[in-house]
């Protein structure tokens, strides 16, 4: 008798964080106050000759504080994510952020002391810190850019009503947008997630109409959103360049990621040089989609033979089976996220758009937010976010400070999970035309996560320079359009309304220069997956060990353990060579 497959809910429960909700949060905040007071008592004992035992006690208490504060902050963010229009959730999130910022100020003295400690004693104490060694290295890495304790405290307080408040305002405004679209003669009111499904519609007129409506609505708020972005950019310049003396806006993110400026320059340079790869692909895609000519409206057009929708339960099953074909252990971890009801997949008014995974503390099953609409790409998104989840779960043996991977490696497991899923679907599929569609879906995703993300960062570099020179919102928009047309070339004409696309990208508001991590992670995975196909089962233990390392070593050290040199243009080019092969394979299928 066949076993009935399990059924998984599409809404999470936050009871694993705080069973009694706000009442438990209040108790935890009071506990934090006690621990913070205890931590402050160490201030007078900190000296160059501090014993290793005392140093370890300070670190242990710091971990306790970080664990509780991270859990409180996560709970507030997850609750807010369910409905960003919920006034109570917004108020709670703001209160928590203010309380945690004040707490951070009280603990700041330790980081400043550690940054100023002489090399001999820093080395002595670091060697006794066990798993926290790289975390301590990370703190000292910022020494040349650290201000006085009082200045750092002022910046932390300022950010709660400055950067954080502006990004929250951006989220509230944009998540509250509604859009109208005429479908089958009926005028429909849609949220952004629902509208975004139409840019992948099989009907060209729906794709064009969806884009026009998206940018029409955002353009109506171009002054508010554009000036908000300019304020965030100027804030970044004032703090990071003027006060902290970074050489360039991008250098801030590179130091945070522990990646040399040269490695990022090499990555972005190789992406720019390979723009023709996707330009050629889009010409092929136009033929396969029956389009007289590809334009920017249609780059996500589905292949006619590949139109398919998925039930949520079927999507979960497909993703878990794909993970299991690679590693039963990873599949078990991914399934645990569903079993513990840590996934919110249902779309609903006010819910935060997009998708994310929140790995909170070691040993706690991560939370995953999806907006599942039944599209094939949503199945890939599920595989992607579960990759983030299993990455955090694999690294659970590490500290709260070292289980999160650094940003450039943060996309490794997520994109690898997508590759596993794509490979699994290709192997199962017998219809040659459907296989063609799956291959195109992979190339569509590669474009979106490699070339598109790299050009977001190229835009940010230009925008930060332009805004520092006093550019207007319209001038920033013109630069975005110029770079987009450079990226797509003559192969894909770009209509003028795409000049407002940058207003729709949350990352450039909340996390400047974040997006190159996607290019980094995707090209890295193309190389790693090639290793897996060449080496077979022998590769898997090395890959699992990479995940289990978390953020306890530098990105360079972690990657060198699997034979990758991030500063080599040849390495980045190898990823594009794989993409070229995929385009060639697709071209061969066209009779």
């Amino acid at each position: 008798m066949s076993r009935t497959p399990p059924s998984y809910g599409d809404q999470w429960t936050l009871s694993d964080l705080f069973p009694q909700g706000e009442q438990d949060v209040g108790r935890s905040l009071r506990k934090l106050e006690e621990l913070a007071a205890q931590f402050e008592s160490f201030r007078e004992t900190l000296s160059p000759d501090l014993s290793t035992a005392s140093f370890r006690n300070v670190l242990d208490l710091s971990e306790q504080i970080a664990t509780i504060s991270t859990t409180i902050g996560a709970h507030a963010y997850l609750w807010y994510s369910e409905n960003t229009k919920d006034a109570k959730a917004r108020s709670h999130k703001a209160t928590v952020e203010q309380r945690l910022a004040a707490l951070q100020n009280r603990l700041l003295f330790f980081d400043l002391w550690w940054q100023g400690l002489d090399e001999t004693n820093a080395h002595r104490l670091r060697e006794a810190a066990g798993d926290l060694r790289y975390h301590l290295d990370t703190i000292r890495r910022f020494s040349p850019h650290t201000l006085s304790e009082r200045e750092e405290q002022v910046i932390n307080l300022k950010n709660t009503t400055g950067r954080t408040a502006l990004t929250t305002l951006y989220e509230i405004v944009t998540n509250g947008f509604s859009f109208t679209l005429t479908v089958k003669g009926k005028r429909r009111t849609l949220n952004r997630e629902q509208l975004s499904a139409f840019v992948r519609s099989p009907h060209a007129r729906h794709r064009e109409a969806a884009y026009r409506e998206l940018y029409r609505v955002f353009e109506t708020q171009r002054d508010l959103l554009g000036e908000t972005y300019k304020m965030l950019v100027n804030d970044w310049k004032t703090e990071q360049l003027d006060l902290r003396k970074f050489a360039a806006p991008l250098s801030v993110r590179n130091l945070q990621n522990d990646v040399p400026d040269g490695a990022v320059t090499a990555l972005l340079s190789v992406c720019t040089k390979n723009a023709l790869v996707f330009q050629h692909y889009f010409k092929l895609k136009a033929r396969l989609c029956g389009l007289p000519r590809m334009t920017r409206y249609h780059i996500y057009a589905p292949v006619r033979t590949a139109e398919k929708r998925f039930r949520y339960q079927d999507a979960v099953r497909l993703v878990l089976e794909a993970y299991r074909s690679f590693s039963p252990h990873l599949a078990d971890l991914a399934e645990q996220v569903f079993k513990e009801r840590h996934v919110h997949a249902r779309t609903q008014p006010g819910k935060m758009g997009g998708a994310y995974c929140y790995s909170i503390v070691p040993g706690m099953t991560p939370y995953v937010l999806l907006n599942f609409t039944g599209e094939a790409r949503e199945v890939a998104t599920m595989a992607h976010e579960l990759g983030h989840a299993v990455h955090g779960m694999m690294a659970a043996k590490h500290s709260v400070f070292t289980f999160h991977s650094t940003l450039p490696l943060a996309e490794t497991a997520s994109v690898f999970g997508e590759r596993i899923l794509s490979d699994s679907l290709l192997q199962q599929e017998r219809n040659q035309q459907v296989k063609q569609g799956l291959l195109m879906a992979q190339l569509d995703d590669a474009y979106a996560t490699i070339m598109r993300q790299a050009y977001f960062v190229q835009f940010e570099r230009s925008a930060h320079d332009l805004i520092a020179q006093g550019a207007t919102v319209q001038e920033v928009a013109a630069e975005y359009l110029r770079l987009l047309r450079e990226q797509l070339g003559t192969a894909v004409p770009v209509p003028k309304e795409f000049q407002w696309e940058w207003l729709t990208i949350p990352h450039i508001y909340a996390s400047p220069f974040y997006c190159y991590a996607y290019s980094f992670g995707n090209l890295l995975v193309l190389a790693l997956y090639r290793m897996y196909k060449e080496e077979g089962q022998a590769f898997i233990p090395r890959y699992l060990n990479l995940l289990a390392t978390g953020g306890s070593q530098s990105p360079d050290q972690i990657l060198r353990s699997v034979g990758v040199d991030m500063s080599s243009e040849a390495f980045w080019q190898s990823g594009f060579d794989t993409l070229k092969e995929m385009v060639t394979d697709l071209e061969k299928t066209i009779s």
Side-chain angles (χ1 to χ4, degrees), residues 334-345:
E335 187 172 20
Q336 184 176 324
V337 183
F338 291 103
K339 285 182 174 179
E340 296 188 13
R341 296 173 60 201
H342 281 209
V343 178
H344 198 301

Side-chain angles (χ1 to χ4, degrees), residues 158-159 162-163 166 229-241:
K158 178 270 298 180
N159 282 342
R163 294 199 65 85
L166 284 172
Y229 181 65
K230 287 176 61 179
M231 284 188 281
L232 288 166
V233 168
N234 282 323
D235 178 85
W236 189 265
K237 175 183 179 296
T238 299
E239 178 181 336
Q240 308 297 352
L241 275 64

Side-chain angles (χ1 to χ4, degrees), residues 120 307 402:
T120 300
E307 295 178 29
T402 56

Side-chain angles (χ1 to χ4, degrees), residues 26 29-30 33 94-104 160:
L29 285 169
R30 289 191 292 274
E33 288 293 325
T95 299
V96 165
E97 287 171 348
Q98 290 170 355
R99 293 283 294 274
L100 295 182
L103 174 76
Q104 184 180 358
T160 62

Side-chain angles (χ1 to χ4, degrees), residues 511-557:
S511 305
F513 308 104
Y514 178 98
C515 291
Y516 77 71
Y518 291 110
S519 305
F520 191 116
N522 278 268
L523 287 175
L524 171 63
V525 167
L526 287 172
L528 292 178
Y529 205 76
R530 173 172 280 185
M531 291 181 189
Y532 165 54
K533 301 304 287 185
E534 292 173 351
E535 300 176 19
Q537 293 294 311
F539 170 83
I540 296 176
R542 285 165 45 216
Y543 174 74
L544 296 182
N545 185 63
L546 182 154
L547 300 188
T549 305
S552 62
Q553 297 174 12
S554 71
D556 183 62
Q557 187 176 358

Side-chain angles (χ1 to χ4, degrees), residues 85 109 137 148 177-178 195 232 268 278 336 374 455 463 465 503 535 537 577:
K85 308 298 287 184
F109 68 88
D137 291 344
S148 70
F177 285 162
S178 62
L195 181 73
L232 288 166
L268 296 177
F278 288 106
Q336 184 176 324
Y455 265 88
D465 288 344
L503 298 178
E535 300 176 19
Q537 293 294 311
D577 291 343

